[in-house]
Amino acid sequence: MLTNKNLFFLIIQAQIGIGILGLPYILYNHVQQDGWMSLLIAGVLAQGIIIVLVALSRTSPKETFYELNLRLLGNVLGKIVNISYVLYFISFSLLLMILVTDVINTWILHQTPRWAIILMLLIATSYIAKERILTISRSFLFFSFWFIVLIFLLILVYPQDIHFGRLQPVGSNSFTEIIKASPDAFVSLIGFELILFIMPFIKNPKKSLMVLSIANLFTLMLYIFLFITCVISFSGVQLSLIQAPLLYLFRGLSFEFVERIDIIFLSFWIVPISTTLVIQLFNASLGVQKLFSIQRKKSVYLLSFILLCLGLLPINLTMTESLSSIMIYLNIIFVFIFPALLLIIAKLKGIKG
Amino acid sequence: MAESHNEFLSSDLTQNLKIIEEKMKQTADLKRRKLTFHGEAIILLYLDTMTDKESIELHIISPINKQESKSIENALGTKQFSIMTTFKDISCSLAEGNTILLTENCNIAYSIATLSDEKRAINESLNEKVTMGAHDSFVESAATNISLLRKRLRTPEFKVEYQTYGSETNVEVAICYLESKADPTVLHSIKSRLEKIKNDDLINSRQIQEALEDYPYSPFPQSLRTERPDRAVFNLLNGNTVIFLEHEPSALITPISFYSFLRSPEDYNSRWFVNFFYYSLRLLAFIMSVTLPAFYIAVNAYHSAILPVSTFYTLKLSVLNVPFHPLIEAVMMQIVLELLKEASVRLPSAIAQTIGTVGAIVIGSAIVQTNFISNTMVVVIAITAVSSFVIPIGEMSTSMRLMGFPLIFLAAIFGFIGIAFGLMVFTTHLVKLTSAGKVYVEAPEIFESFLNKHPKNGKGQDTNAHE
Amino acid sequence: MKNTNQKIITLLFIFPLLTGCWDQKLIVDQEVINGVSFDLEDNKIKSTIVVLNIIPKGTNFFDFKNQMSSATGYSLEDTYRELRTYYTGPLTASKSRIILLGESFAKKNLNAYLDFFYRVPDPYLGSKVAIVKGVEASELLSTKEIGTNPVAFGLYEIIEAAEDNSTVTKGTLNTLFTYFNEEGKDFLLPILEKKGEDILVSGAGLISDNAYSGQMISLKECSLLLLIMDNYGELVDLETYLNDKKKLNNQVSYRIIKSKRKFNLTKDAAGKPRVDINLDLKIFLHQYPITEKISPKQIKELEETISRDLTKKSQSIMKKTQKANSDVLGIGRELKETDPAAWKALDWGQTYPEIKINTRVKVAIEKTGILK
């Protein structure tokens, strides 16, 4: 059974991934140096959603979300919802894979074909995703070592040429604009919906809300720290140009015995990125297991195969961009609106029953 | 049915003798001595090659010849014996080195323990040397080995259980544990696994290890084989189980955690910071022996941008005239290294030194001068080898060195990203492993104290029910 | 057992698929650019690169040779295409140490020209950038070695030493990228000059609006400018004439132990920005023209002389920057951050030369060295 520690690392690994590379760029383009406020708002929003999700999963802690759907919505409607959730996870994973291969292709391996990277990624992630959730969480704990490395490297940026004044003027954007930018920040905080699917495996469900909040806080703090570091070390126009500011920060960093930290960092940052994919695969495979009643291991393989085939499709820049803008809304629907509706249904049924 | 009729001894001595000799397949080393005791004929049967003749002479023949006691039981009073009635028991007992005493007109036989106690003296451990601490090591006798443990653990809690496995070899297996410390569920699972050993030819501890391991196909050993009694005792005190196989000079410890393989008994014998330093050094050695060649290949073939300019030119200078791809270089060098190591193990120690010289001079410098393998590659492989030899347990050390190979290939295909993927899979694999149902690699405890204020509950019942 | 066999077979099928090694760049094959220079020639860019070739001479011995080649074209990529044909392996800028800009080239909008270095991940951003005055930039690269270092490394180290001695601000290609895109802040670039056979850093070139303004701060004034900018190196040495009577051996020189800058941006009556800079220096004498005891009274006088001298010098330095329209202090940036409305109303390029910058230096002697 998952202890609080296990749950914490599961959630932060599910949250932090590819999004962190481009987050400061996206936020800066919307609201300039006030991006940290949008982050805070997104964090508060995420916290609210966490409360909803936990409340929902507590209505029947012995069921996964898919089982809950079937029970509350009936067989037909429940199945449709379950299928759409599986599709959501598949498209999320697909977007993730495309973004990863794009970043790798621009920064490190320029000629390596997309399928090779995707194949490698899927072999590694399905190897992890087919394990029990406890094993997954325990290996995530080891992978969390990279967060310490990240924080350490970010601190190393500070002795470089930075200027704190770039954070000023505070609040130059209107409040509505800051709120408008928060969905973009929210995408990077996604991942806590995992709680819906792992509630039956948690040893201490009562503490889950607290653990999730701490995990969310950790992620939020890391993002804000990153955003501030980026703003103070890049000048305005520069930050609005660089698509992966986190990597560019490290590109300028060099030491006596090693140069080009960005290459090393990105290569190994693949691990936290893959963990997000592992979680998506895990969520989807639970659904496939429920829908077609096959072994979870096999459903992971099936999903990986589907993803590999999808990854082989020729996807260009505009398609990626439209997919990511659609995903922003899908995220809110699937992570927030639908669970909230379900919670209301569950409460109504609870009152009737 | 005829055979079952013959299973029990009859009163006919000559008939009995004939059947026993047949059972023993008329082996040439089966000797018989004829004596008389109060007028009755007595036959002694024993395997010449296994028994202690002096003991037979002193404790069996001379009391019988003196004819002082009334009965045979009394005459054998000084010696431990048991009474047997079937031919099967008798033949087994003979094969174990006992002496069988048959009397005329009597349908029972006495089996007297006369196994010659020819065993190696307790020497210093060859494979797990220490500079500080005890220097004794296990020998090929389970009884002696257990006595070594008992001498250190003078407590009634220390429990030994004997079982015999292998229908052909009939090897005794001793399971030792501290009743108060050992987890009963783990103990139960160990015993039930041992029950499943179906090998007729149980002869070495690897076979037991195979039966005990949850993931026999994993490259990592999930039970620890040691020659050192102090290590065994330390693990016993931690609640682990020690298994001895007769004629095998090592103890098998299970369940075991991965970190124990990085520990030497010497650690617990030194100051805390020395202990800490060497432990960290071995952790570093573990990481280096797995990743260093792969890292070098990735840098050489993909990421030379990360090198500072001076290092870059040094490296370029050393590989400038080498005709091979770094991957081929690395594989070649690894194979050469394994060959050298294997050769020096097999050869008598006097000649093994020659191998050292050949390795150092011929391979080390000549191969560089002929530009087959670059200087840096020799350095890298040498560091890898030395790091893997630092690991106190030989089994683990070899596993680690070999685990480097998949990473080498991944590094040659994808560079650092390949290494990252490889390490990810390795980590998950290690984390997945269990040793006798217990977690093999536990997370560092630092996090435990950080996040979980009540770490005590739930250990041992970590098995997840789903799926 | 069956399962394992299956796994092994799958792996055996997958691995041949993966043996692409698509991006392999073996260390042996790489031709590494050490130094680059850009000049302007008949309205065309002339790029020159230096590649260091190492020639092994038996074990542990080697010699090096610089392979230099140039090409002209209308864009950097244009010249690069030609340059590539001169070399045996793929060229990479991942180890470039130095980028030299000819004076005429430097007067162009550098941001637009150097875009190539920032857009692709290959080039090394730690390389130093300098302007070459007097001769063509490519001529500096044709020197074989500086000291015992190959030319590119030698130049890199010269500039690094100049940074440590507070001649120019610390800067690399990476920091340039930041300042190129920063509104209201200009920067300095080291100026290299050839004196006979030697190459030296002769001062700091004032950059205005991402292009070299043509004006420079001379070697002797640089350190003071860096103090005013509050961006100095490890050593800051300055000197002052004791009086105007004679020049020969009449200087007191001192090292700055501690410098404290007060930067105050206000508005004058006309609503124009006005800057007050107060510099508090703690110094330590390391040259005095007469070897004798310096009395406390003399110290007091000395402090006043030095303060007066530095204030005067700093005023003239600031005038120079205003003349060059190079806002190296980042006054515009400060204004933008503290008063965005005022910043938007101003055209900074027009305003900066006209604003009032008031500097005042106050010196306190802390130590007089080993001698009293």
Side-chain angles (χ1 to χ4, degrees):
Chain A
M1 295 299 261
L2 295 169
T3 59
N4 291 343
K5 178 180 73 177
N6 291 335
L7 183 62
F8 175 80
F9 285 105
L10 268 178
I11 299 295
I12 60 169
Q13 286 282 9
Q15 285 186 307
I16 303 170
I18 185 95
I20 198 168
L21 299 179
L23 182 70
Y25 161 78
I26 295 168
L27 285 178
Y28 194 88
N29 271 341
H30 279 287
V31 281
Q32 286 79 44
Q33 64 275 20
D34 295 333
W36 58 272
M37 292 191 224
S38 300
L39 263 172
L40 269 183
I41 290 167
V44 172
L45 181 68
Q47 185 57 42
I49 296 173
I50 285 173
I51 292 169
V52 171
L53 294 186
V54 171
L56 176 62
S57 46
R58 270 204 200 139
T59 54
S60 61
K62 289 279 165 276
E63 286 175 314
T64 65
F65 184 61
Y66 296 112
E67 288 156 343
L68 195 75
N69 274 338
L70 289 177
R71 189 166 60 82
L72 287 179
L73 299 174
N75 209 3
V76 180
L77 197 60
K79 264 196 176 157
I80 292 169
V81 170
N82 284 354
I83 288 171
S84 54
Y85 261 89
V86 170
L87 289 178
Y88 162 70
F89 289 127
I90 288 177
S91 46
F92 197 104
S93 313
L94 181 67
L95 178 67
L96 193 102
M97 288 190 326
I98 293 167
L99 292 176
V100 174
T101 46
D102 272 358
V103 172
I104 291 176
N105 272 334
T106 28
W107 281 84
I108 310 175
L109 304 170
H110 311 289
Q111 273 117 47
T112 306
R114 167 174 280 158
W115 64 263
I117 299 171
I118 286 184
L119 184 64
M120 200 60 224
L121 193 67
L122 282 174
I123 290 176
T125 48
S126 56
Y127 181 83
I128 302 174
K130 76 175 171 39
E131 297 301 329
R132 296 175 307 155
I133 187 75
L134 182 74
T135 312
I136 295 176
S137 74
R138 286 185 42 237
S139 48
F140 280 12
L141 194 148
F142 285 91
F143 299 156
S144 297
F145 171 69
W146 294 114
F147 296 145
I148 300 170
V149 173
L150 171 68
I151 294 168
F152 179 70
L153 284 174
L154 283 179
I155 291 170
L156 283 181
V157 170
Y158 279 74
Q160 310 285 315
D161 197 4
I162 54 162
H163 179 64
F164 279 99
R166 289 180 185 133
L167 284 170
Q168 289 174 319
V170 180
S172 59
N173 290 277
S174 68
F175 193 61
T176 44
E177 269 179 88
I178 290 171
I179 284 185
K180 262 188 204 162
S182 58
D184 288 308
F186 180 70
V187 177
S188 303
L189 285 166
I190 288 275
F192 44 75
E193 74 274 15
L194 175 68
I195 187 71
L196 291 174
F197 306 97
I198 56 170
M199 206 55 173
F201 314 123
I202 293 175
K203 190 161 69 187
N204 200 349
K206 276 183 191 146
K207 283 269 174 72
S208 56
L209 179 61
M210 198 189 73
V211 176
L212 251 71
S213 310
I214 294 173
N216 193 39
L217 192 70
F218 173 83
T219 313
L220 194 65
M221 285 300 146
L222 184 64
Y223 284 168
I224 290 178
F225 178 48
L226 169 72
F227 182 79
I228 289 175
T229 312
C230 281
V231 169
I232 62 174
S233 40
F234 294 124
S235 61
V237 186
Q238 188 188 12
L239 186 50
S240 66
L241 286 171
I242 301 170
Q243 290 187 48
L246 178 57
L247 296 177
Y248 222 97
L249 265 185
F250 299 148
R251 195 181 162 193
L253 215 60
S254 64
F255 303 109
E256 198 95 332
F257 53 94
V258 62
E259 285 173 359
R260 294 305 297 274
I261 311 290
D262 57 325
I263 292 180
I264 307 175
F265 176 77
L266 175 59
S267 303
F268 288 97
W269 194 251
I270 287 296
V271 176
I273 292 174
S274 309
T275 54
T276 315
L277 189 58
V278 168
I279 294 296
Q280 301 298 328
L281 271 180
F282 176 82
N283 289 348
S285 69
L286 273 184
V288 173
Q289 183 191 18
K290 192 81 212 158
L291 282 169
F292 305 108
S293 26
I294 50 173
Q295 269 186 337
R296 204 176 68 77
K297 213 183 224 177
K298 279 187 183 143
S299 60
V300 170
Y301 293 144
L302 179 73
L303 284 166
S304 314
F305 184 72
I306 293 170
L307 280 173
L308 180 64
C309 296
L310 287 173
L312 292 180
L313 297 174
I315 295 159
N316 56 27
L317 201 67
T318 43
M319 281 164 77
T320 316
E321 268 173 12
S322 53
L323 185 60
S324 34
S325 53
I326 293 170
M327 280 315 288
I328 291 176
Y329 298 107
L330 283 185
N331 283 332
I332 292 173
I333 294 170
F334 280 96
V335 175
F336 175 50
I337 297 177
F338 187 76
L341 280 176
L342 208 64
L343 179 65
I344 296 167
I345 294 172
K347 288 282 174 208
L348 285 177
K349 280 208 171 171
I351 292 164
K352 268 185 201 165
Chain B
M1 293 312 274
E3 271 198 43
S4 73
H5 181 72
N6 284 341
E7 251 179 35
F8 292 96
L9 285 173
S10 61
S11 327
D12 188 354
L13 187 60
T14 40
Q15 180 71 16
N16 286 346
L17 270 177
K18 215 177 135 196
I19 296 170
I20 291 171
E21 279 185 344
E22 236 166 66
K23 279 262 180 196
M24 296 303 290
K25 317 289 177 219
Q26 250 111 28
T27 173
D29 55 353
L30 181 68
K31 300 288 179 209
R32 66 165 97 164
R33 288 279 294 269
K34 213 169 196 171
L35 304 167
T36 47
F37 184 70
H38 296 302
E40 279 179 23
I42 287 177
I43 302 278
L44 284 180
L45 283 170
Y46 55 89
L47 284 176
D48 190 27
T49 43
M50 280 182 81
T51 45
D52 184 0
K53 264 137 287 181
E54 208 174 304
S55 157
I56 296 175
E57 199 68 47
L58 199 68
H59 299 294
I60 306 171
I61 300 178
S62 74
I64 288 173
N65 278 348
K66 278 181 196 159
Q67 318 244 349
E68 277 167 0
S69 335
K70 288 266 163 60
S71 65
I72 289 172
E73 278 95 340
N74 286 346
L76 296 175
T78 53
K79 202 77 180 150
Q80 169 192 345
F81 65 90
S82 55
I83 292 169
M84 289 182 172
T85 52
T86 63
F87 288 114
K88 196 173 170 232
D89 283 349
I90 287 170
S91 54
C92 284
S93 168
L94 271 173
E96 278 164 17
N98 297 339
T99 301
I100 300 293
L101 190 151
L102 294 165
T103 42
E104 208 177 3
N105 302 325
C106 187
N107 59 355
I108 56 165
Y110 300 93
S111 156
I112 307 136
T114 53
L115 179 65
S116 73
D117 245 6
E118 274 176 32
K119 59 188 174 198
R120 190 159 60 93
I122 296 169
N123 283 330
E124 185 169 358
S125 163
L126 283 176
N127 299 327
E128 294 168 63
K129 282 188 178 161
V130 294
T131 51
M132 268 189 292
H135 288 278
D136 51 353
S137 77
F138 290 133
V139 293
E140 281 83 351
S141 149
T144 317
N145 293 346
I146 293 169
S147 82
L148 284 174
L149 296 188
R150 276 240 185 252
K151 274 179 202 161
R152 287 174 164 84
L153 283 173
R154 302 192 174 182
T155 160
E157 295 290 339
F158 182 61
K159 191 175 165 188
V160 182
E161 282 176 32
Y162 282 110
Q163 290 286 344
T164 308
Y165 298 106
S167 51
E168 294 286 328
T169 45
N170 273 324
V171 180
E172 220 161 49
V173 172
I175 308 169
C176 316
Y177 54 90
L178 286 182
E179 183 82 47
S180 54
K181 297 266 173 76
D183 186 342
T185 51
V186 172
L187 212 58
H188 181 77
S189 90
I190 290 172
K191 280 181 195 158
S192 64
R193 273 158 202 273
L194 283 177
E195 292 300 323
K196 282 182 196 143
I197 300 181
K198 288 205 185 81
N199 296 28
D200 295 338
D201 50 350
L202 181 69
I203 195 149
N204 51 31
S205 40
R206 173 67 202 140
Q207 287 158 316
I208 292 191
Q209 214 176 358
E210 239 162 47
L212 282 176
E213 282 177 351
D214 300 337
Y215 297 88
Y217 291 107
S218 164
F220 295 99
Q222 296 139 49
S223 51
L224 190 147
R225 249 192 285 187
T226 179
E227 286 185 341
R228 301 193 54 86
D230 46 358
R231 188 191 276 271
V233 167
F234 181 77
N235 279 291
L236 277 175
L237 286 171
N238 278 346
N240 301 339
T241 313
V242 171
I243 297 168
F244 287 108
L245 188 67
E246 185 71 45
H247 317 310
E248 187 67 24
S250 62
L252 208 61
I253 303 171
T254 189
I256 195 80
S257 108
F258 173 76
Y259 301 114
S260 305
F261 288 91
L262 305 178
R263 287 294 204 176
S264 163
E266 200 173 5
D267 288 0
Y268 308 108
N269 225 342
S270 28
R271 299 192 158 271
W272 73 267
F273 67 91
V274 178
N275 173 0
F276 176 76
F277 172 72
Y278 281 105
Y279 183 46
S280 325
L281 192 73
R282 290 195 204 102
L283 263 175
L284 181 74
F286 162 61
I287 294 165
M288 287 222 292
S289 65
V290 176
T291 57
L292 196 64
F295 211 78
Y296 172 72
I297 288 175
V299 169
N300 193 336
Y302 288 89
H303 306 299
S304 51
I306 72 156
L307 294 172
V309 79
S310 53
T311 323
F312 176 85
Y313 279 110
T314 317
L315 207 62
K316 188 168 179 181
L317 192 67
S318 81
V319 296
L320 209 53
N321 291 321
V322 179
F324 301 116
H325 188 278
L327 171 71
I328 297 166
E329 263 184 276
V331 173
M332 263 163 59
M333 204 56 214
Q334 284 273 27
I335 290 172
V336 166
L337 181 93
E338 294 295 322
L339 284 176
L340 279 174
K341 191 202 135 212
E342 196 59 21
S344 63
V345 170
R346 301 289 157 243
L347 282 171
S349 59
I351 311 176
Q353 286 179 353
T354 326
I355 286 291
T357 322
V358 169
I361 295 170
V362 178
I363 316 281
S365 59
I367 213 166
V368 172
Q369 275 171 14
T370 49
N371 275 330
F372 270 125
I373 284 167
S374 64
N375 255 327
T376 27
M377 184 53 91
V378 174
V379 172
V380 165
I381 298 295
I383 293 175
T384 313
V386 172
S387 329
S388 78
F389 293 147
V390 163
I391 308 303
I393 304 292
E395 225 180 332
M396 188 50 119
S397 145
T398 316
S399 294
M400 280 177 187
R401 218 167 39 246
L402 298 184
M403 284 311 279
F405 274 100
L407 279 190
I408 288 178
F409 287 106
L410 281 171
I413 300 169
F414 289 107
F416 281 162
I417 292 184
I419 299 179
F421 279 132
L423 286 182
M424 205 160 93
V425 171
F426 279 6
T427 314
T428 316
H429 177 78
L430 269 173
V431 163
K432 182 173 87 171
L433 291 183
T434 50
S435 169
K438 281 220 167 180
V439 174
Y440 189 53
V441 181
E442 192 65 75
E445 286 290 306
I446 315 157
F447 294 107
E448 192 87 49
S449 54
F450 249 65
L451 294 162
N452 202 346
K453 279 187 183 161
H454 312 285
K456 61 178 194 298
N457 29 331
K459 281 242 175 104
Q461 33 175 308
D462 259 352
T463 35
N464 191 341
H466 97 279
E467 284 175 4
Chain C
M1 198 57 187
K2 193 186 151 217
N3 204 359
T4 323
N5 279 342
Q6 269 176 2
K7 275 180 200 162
I8 292 168
I9 290 167
T10 343
L11 279 180
L12 282 180
F13 271 105
I14 287 167
F15 272 112
L17 283 174
L18 290 174
T19 48
C21 309
W22 298 271
D23 284 289
Q24 188 164 283
K25 285 177 288 183
L26 284 182
I27 240 177
V28 203
D29 304 332
Q30 286 187 51
E31 295 277 354
V32 179
I33 302 175
N34 287 125
V36 194
S37 78
F38 299 114
D39 287 294
L40 216 56
E41 215 171 55
D42 315 328
N43 225 4
K44 269 186 177 178
I45 301 167
K46 180 186 169 199
S47 309
T48 310
I49 58 170
V50 178
V51 170
L52 186 70
N53 286 320
I54 289 194
I55 307 142
K57 301 217 159 138
T59 22
N60 298 328
F61 294 103
F62 64 95
D63 200 1
F64 64 82
K65 214 182 111 198
N66 283 321
Q67 188 185 351
M68 195 176 95
S69 33
S70 7
T72 48
Y74 287 106
S75 69
L76 290 197
E77 185 59 41
D78 213 12
T79 58
Y80 191 53
R81 186 164 300 118
E82 190 185 330
L83 286 171
R84 267 183 291 200
T85 58
Y86 298 135
Y87 292 90
T88 50
L91 276 178
T92 162
S94 64
K95 292 279 168 288
S96 65
R97 293 286 108 178
I98 183 97
I99 292 169
L100 297 178
L101 311 170
E103 214 177 342
S104 49
F105 182 86
K107 284 178 180 165
K108 297 277 172 195
N109 184 355
L110 291 175
N111 187 17
Y113 281 88
L114 295 181
D115 177 84
F116 171 74
F117 286 92
Y118 305 118
R119 202 166 282 276
V120 287
D122 182 43
Y124 176 57
L125 290 188
S127 39
K128 303 278 179 206
V129 184
I131 296 168
V132 180
K133 205 179 158 193
V135 288
E136 270 203 345
S138 56
E139 205 183 312
L140 287 197
L141 286 184
S142 61
T143 329
K144 192 193 174 192
E145 48 191 19
I146 294 171
T148 52
N149 293 315
V151 59
F153 302 93
L155 289 172
Y156 182 87
E157 265 156 41
I158 282 179
I159 294 172
E160 209 166 42
E163 285 169 356
D164 288 343
N165 293 330
S166 307
T167 309
V168 284
T169 46
K170 276 201 190 322
T172 55
L173 203 52
N174 190 37
T175 50
L176 281 200
F177 188 26
T178 309
Y179 292 128
F180 277 153
N181 294 298
E182 182 122 75
E183 289 173 317
K185 163 100 176 127
D186 291 309
F187 52 96
L188 298 170
L189 277 182
I191 302 263
L192 290 175
E193 265 184 90
K194 206 166 179 183
K195 210 175 193 180
E197 282 305 299
D198 297 326
I199 298 166
L200 75 154
V201 179
S202 66
L206 292 166
I207 305 295
S208 165
D209 202 13
N210 295 348
Y212 178 42
S213 63
Q215 319 255 358
M216 61 180 274
I217 305 286
S218 67
L219 193 58
K220 281 183 183 160
E221 290 170 320
C222 280
S223 304
L224 188 56
L225 175 60
L226 262 55
L227 282 177
I228 299 170
M229 286 169 73
D230 204 18
N231 190 6
Y232 47 91
E234 278 158 32
L235 290 179
V236 193
D237 291 341
L238 292 167
E239 56 282 315
T240 303
Y241 285 106
L242 277 182
N243 42 46
D244 298 333
K245 280 173 200 154
K246 62 170 189 174
K247 292 251 169 186
L248 190 65
N249 195 24
N250 197 20
Q251 269 181 333
V252 58
S253 55
Y254 39 90
R255 179 162 293 169
I256 311 297
I257 304 171
K258 214 172 152 190
S259 149
K260 211 172 161 193
R261 185 186 77 157
K262 266 194 204 131
F263 183 92
N264 202 5
L265 182 69
T266 48
K267 267 185 204 168
D268 62 8
K272 271 200 173 166
R274 177 203 146 95
V275 180
D276 292 295
I277 296 168
N278 283 335
L279 214 53
D280 272 327
L281 301 179
K282 297 226 162 71
I283 62 171
F284 138 61
L285 293 185
H286 64 92
Q287 183 197 299
Y288 194 66
I290 320 138
T291 314
E292 59 167 35
K293 231 179 202 174
I294 311 172
S295 67
K297 197 181 149 221
Q298 273 172 306
I299 286 187
K300 203 110 211 165
E301 276 169 23
L302 211 54
E303 278 176 353
E304 266 166 36
T305 322
I306 294 171
S307 302
R308 213 179 312 125
D309 179 57
L310 288 184
T311 308
K312 211 174 99 195
K313 276 183 187 164
S314 62
Q315 294 280 11
S316 82
I317 289 173
M318 289 324 292
K319 280 271 142 48
K320 269 187 196 166
T321 67
Q322 282 182 302
K323 206 176 137 211
N325 196 4
S326 171
D327 182 8
V328 285
L329 259 61
I331 296 169
R333 184 171 73 176
E334 190 72 23
L335 183 69
K336 185 185 122 192
E337 282 154 7
T338 50
D339 192 355
W343 163 256
K344 265 179 202 153
L346 290 172
D347 179 0
W348 193 245
Q350 307 252 306
T351 321
Y352 180 67
E354 286 158 18
I355 62 168
K356 190 157 171 52
I357 302 173
N358 201 4
T359 55
R360 208 172 57 79
V361 185
K362 202 167 162 262
V363 168
I365 297 172
E366 286 237 314
K367 286 177 194 165
T368 54
I370 300 174
L371 308 178
K372 179 66 194 169

